[in-house]
Amino acid sequence: MILRDTILASAGAALLAKFVAADDIEVGRPAYWGTHASPLVEIWALQSSRRLIGAKARAFLDVIEKAFPEKILIPPT
């Protein structure tokens, strides 16, 4: 988010994840130079099986799930 704030203040350029910059690009705030293809990224979220998931962890996972709707989910075993 620091990089996002920096480019919005016209203090530099950055390569940002789509979910970080999509809303700003949609309204034309930063200059958009295109998309960079990168290798696949894996995001793992691990939690103790003995406890319910905390509110902060659930909020994080909700953001990730919204940002990557094409995700492949491997359910716990």
Side-chain angles (χ1 to χ4, degrees):
M1 295 309 286
I2 292 171
L3 286 176
R4 177 192 162 273
D5 294 343
T6 300
I7 64 164
L8 291 177
S10 299
L15 179 63
L16 300 173
K18 181 180 177 181
F19 76 94
V20 172
D23 292 339
D24 295 312
I25 291 170
E26 189 173 303
V27 295
R29 279 186 266 210
Y32 177 59
W33 294 344
T35 302
H36 173 73
S38 62
L40 294 177
V41 174
E42 292 184 11
I43 299 174
W44 291 77
L46 305 174
Q47 72 177 43
S48 171
S49 62
R50 297 182 187 144
R51 296 179 9 162
L52 296 175
I53 189 166
K56 290 179 184 178
R58 180 73 262 160
F60 171 75
L61 293 174
D62 289 344
V63 168
I64 295 300
E65 289 172 358
K66 182 179 175 186
F68 302 101
E70 69 282 353
K71 71 180 183 293
I72 299 172
L73 177 65
I74 302 172
T77 58

